[in-house]
């Protein structure tokens, strides 16, 4: 008998029929002798709808009331799921985050979990019931209802798995796992059986949309194995767990791309101390989140500094950089929205030489120019023109033979 925490996302419980299908699946799992605890998201686009409603009603949108409003979405879903479970003959009980004993800090709209008491969940389990917990919520040390932020139900699930010492934490979603590339770009992309936490985190930063990065970090920090899988086909998905030192690590596990950033180049600045410091302090003072940075010293004693920022920060980053042109003696500031990044990720990269050479040769063979390069010990990222990024993903997937296990 295993204790399993199951998280169901918004599309998994998007309508009445989905609710009944999920309840049926939970029932089958319980009848096979397992104990199940559920964390459920708001149905479909409900969270977006509630947020939109709030913007129509209020300009100030106080955090306390926003959290009370948004968590209503999960509350509705948990009650409906328990009704469906009842009809499927599965005893269950719904719990708000507060009732489940999820204690958070007081940072409304993005609260952090401080403790999970879980007494009532243990009682329900002991009575043979399936506890269904409203996701992404808790009660603050100030006794107010709090929301954990977008994607917070994944975090709820991981926190419950840790507190209840569950055997696994299953993240049910509308994709059947984590793939070697986005299957919409690479039809031959293959579902990965396993990945380690570091690889998954690098994939999250390099453009992989699911699962939520914060929950992967939380799972890594608390040693909770994740199983990302489909709530539509119910087939086994991808395990995300600690690196097994006994197992040989895949050289390259996946190719990802990201079109959410833009590039700024500050050209012709003198090559002396303090230039980069002034520029990046000014950007930081405007809360601009800089990602990649590249600087080259030319033989003439001047340098160009390029950096990438999220698209929504491009205008501000350009303004800030332009306003410093005199102070840092730059000759030009160029803003370029038409870039994208392509990345290869793999834990085996650490011990295999020649991976970067193969990546660059592959892009060269496609006639794709590399504009910036950044690396970590298990990731290589190139900035390319946005209109060729899909071609780059396809070519790299093939070059590293990712369609074959
Ligand atoms: N419903 C919330 C959201 O969409 C929480 C979650 O789904 O994890 O952000
Ligand atoms: Mg959601």
């Amino acid at each position: 008998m295993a204790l399993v925490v199951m998280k169901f996302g918004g599309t998994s419980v998007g309508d009445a029929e989905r609710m009944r299908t999920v309840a049926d699946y939970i029932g089958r799992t319980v009848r096979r002798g397992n104990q199940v605890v559920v964390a459920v998201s708001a149905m479909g686009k409900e969270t977006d709808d509630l947020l939109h409603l709030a913007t129509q009603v209020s300009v100030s949108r106080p955090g306390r009331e926003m959290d009370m409003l948004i968590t209503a979405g999960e509350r509705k879903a948990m009650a409906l799921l328990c009704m469906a479970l009842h009809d499927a003959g599965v005893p269950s009980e719904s719990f708000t985050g507060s009732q489940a004993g999820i204690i958070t800090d007081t940072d409304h709209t993005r609260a952090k979990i401080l403790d999970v008491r879980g007494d009532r969940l243990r009682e329900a389990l002991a009575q043979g019931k399936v506890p269904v917990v409203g996701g992404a919520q808790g009660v603050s040390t100030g006794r107010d209802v709090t929301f954990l932020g977008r994607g917070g139900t994944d975090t709820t699930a991981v926190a419950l798995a840790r507190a209840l010492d569950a055997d696994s934490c299953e993240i049910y979603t509308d994709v059947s796992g984590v793939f070697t590339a986005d299957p919409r770009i690479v039809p031959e992309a293959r579902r990965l059986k396993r990945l380690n936490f570091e690889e998954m985190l690098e994939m999250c930063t390099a453009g992989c949309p699911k699962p939520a990065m914060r929950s992967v970090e939380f799972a890594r920090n608390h040693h909770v194995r994740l199983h990302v899988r489909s709530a539509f086909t119910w087939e086994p998905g991808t395990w995300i767990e600690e690196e097994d030192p006994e197992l040989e690590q895949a050289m390259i596990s996946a190719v990802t791309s990201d079109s959410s950033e833009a590039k700024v180049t500050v050209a012709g600045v003198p090559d002396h101390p303090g230039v980069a410091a002034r520029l990046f302090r000014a950007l930081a003072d405007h809360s601009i989140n800089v990602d990649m940075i590249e600087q080259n010293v030319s033989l003439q004693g001047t340098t160009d500094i390029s950096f990438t920022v999220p698209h929504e920060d491009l205008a501000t980053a350009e303004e800030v950089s332009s306003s410093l042109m005199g102070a840092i003696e730059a000759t030009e500031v160029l803003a370029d929205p038409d870039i994208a990044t392509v990345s290869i990720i793999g834990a085996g990269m650490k011990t295999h030489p020649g991976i970067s050479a193969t990546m660059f040769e592959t892009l060269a063979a496609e006639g794709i120019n590399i504009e910036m390069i950044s690396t970590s010990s298990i990731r290589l990222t190139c900035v390319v023109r946005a209109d060729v990024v899909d071609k780059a993903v396809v070519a790299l997937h093939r070059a590293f033979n990712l369609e074959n296990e």
Side-chain angles (χ1 to χ4, degrees), residues 5 29 35 41 67 77 143 148 159 163 165 184 191 213 223 230 275 305 313 331 364 369 378 384:
V5 173
T29 310
Q35 287 186 306
S41 282
D67 286 9
R143 290 182 297 167
L148 304 183
D165 198 20
R184 285 169 302 190
R191 183 174 57 229
M213 171 135 170
H223 312 285
S230 166
V275 171
I305 301 175
D313 288 343
T331 53
N369 188 42
I378 62 164
V384 299

Side-chain angles (χ1 to χ4, degrees), residues 25-241:
Y25 176 77
I26 295 169
R28 276 184 277 140
T29 310
V30 170
R31 280 192 289 277
R32 278 201 299 272
N34 301 293
Q35 287 186 306
V36 177
V37 176
V38 176
V40 68
S41 282
M43 295 170 72
K45 296 261 160 282
E46 175 114 48
T47 306
D48 292 323
D49 294 346
L50 291 170
L51 285 166
H52 181 65
L53 200 53
T55 58
Q56 287 177 308
V57 168
S58 163
V59 190
S60 58
R61 299 190 289 282
R64 184 185 185 279
E65 307 313 326
M66 281 305 284
D67 286 9
M68 194 64 95
L69 175 74
I70 298 168
T71 54
E74 275 76 16
R75 188 166 173 156
K76 180 169 144 187
M78 73 194 200
L80 289 167
L81 184 56
C82 281
M83 292 181 199
L85 282 165
H86 186 265
D87 283 19
V90 184
S92 68
E93 249 171 11
S94 63
F95 296 94
T96 63
S98 170
Q99 288 174 311
I102 297 175
I103 316 298
T104 74
D105 62 16
T106 53
D107 200 3
H108 281 294
T109 73
R110 41 149 191 253
K112 282 203 187 56
I113 297 178
L114 301 176
D115 190 18
V116 179
R117 305 233 164 104
D119 303 338
R120 295 193 64 182
L121 307 182
R122 284 189 201 88
E123 276 168 35
L125 284 169
Q127 292 163 9
K129 291 176 183 160
V130 173
V132 178
V133 182
Q137 55 181 277
V139 60
S140 75
T141 47
R143 290 182 297 167
D144 282 320
V145 168
T146 45
F147 180 59
L148 304 183
R150 300 312 305 267
T153 304
D154 286 11
T155 309
T156 300
V158 175
L160 291 174
R162 167 157 189 261
L164 301 170
D165 198 20
D167 296 290
S168 64
C169 181
E170 308 195 312
I171 308 285
Y172 286 90
T173 170
D174 50 3
V175 292
S176 62
V178 180
F179 283 73
T180 51
D182 185 337
R184 285 169 302 190
I185 302 173
V186 185
E188 308 83 63
R190 183 171 51 80
R191 183 174 57 229
L192 290 153
K193 286 207 179 78
R194 54 184 306 281
L195 270 173
N196 67 49
F197 286 122
E198 304 311 322
E199 290 172 311
M200 189 68 245
L201 288 169
E202 291 283 4
M203 286 179 70
C204 294
T205 54
C208 182
K210 273 177 189 175
M213 171 135 170
R214 194 171 142 205
S215 62
V216 180
E217 280 174 331
F218 197 89
R220 177 195 56 187
N221 297 344
H222 298 290
H223 312 285
V224 173
R225 304 168 75 209
L226 296 177
H227 188 181
V228 178
R229 55 191 300 187
S230 166
F232 291 79
T233 63
W234 308 107
E235 66 203 304
T238 304
W239 284 95
I240 301 158
E241 54 200 352

